[in-house]
């Protein structure tokens, strides 16, 4: 009886290893559909992202660049859920 149990265990382990290797190969070759939690690679590039990268490369000088300040304001408005007209009205009323 012990021999049968050992053979079953070895067969199960062998199948698990084969299945794992197959899934890894399929994922690398792109044959698997994207998983629900993953972002697809075909999403359009965010226009603010390129501006953020440019401002990041500028370093300290970006703090005085008008375009970088506008990009940061747009990002802040998007994060806070405000439309740009609201933020402009709020800024002028605070002064």
């Amino acid at each position: 009886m012990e021999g049968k149990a050992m053979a079953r265990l070895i067969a199960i382990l062998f199948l698990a290893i084969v299945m794992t290797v197959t899934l890894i190969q399929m994922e690398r070759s792109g044959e698997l559909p994207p998983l629900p939690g993953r972002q697809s690679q075909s999403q359009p590039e965010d226009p603010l992202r390129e501006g953020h990268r440019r401002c990041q490369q500028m370093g300290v000088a970006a703090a005085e660049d008008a375009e970088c300040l506008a990009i940061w304001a747009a990002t802040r408005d998007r994060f806070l859920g405000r439309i740009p007209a609201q933020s402009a009205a709020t800024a002028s009323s605070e002064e």
Side-chain angles (χ1 to χ4, degrees), residues 31-80:
E31 295 176 19
L32 284 177
L35 296 175
R38 291 188 179 177
Q39 294 179 348
S40 65
Q41 298 294 334
S42 63
Q43 289 182 347
E45 185 71 23
D46 185 12
L48 287 177
R49 181 172 289 241
E50 288 300 319
H52 280 287
R53 287 187 183 133
R54 186 185 68 80
C55 293
Q56 181 183 19
Q57 291 172 351
M58 288 177 66
V60 177
E64 297 174 1
D65 184 46
E67 189 175 332
C68 289
L69 294 174
I71 289 170
W72 292 331
T75 303
R76 184 175 51 250
D77 289 341
R78 182 192 293 181
F79 178 77
L80 295 174

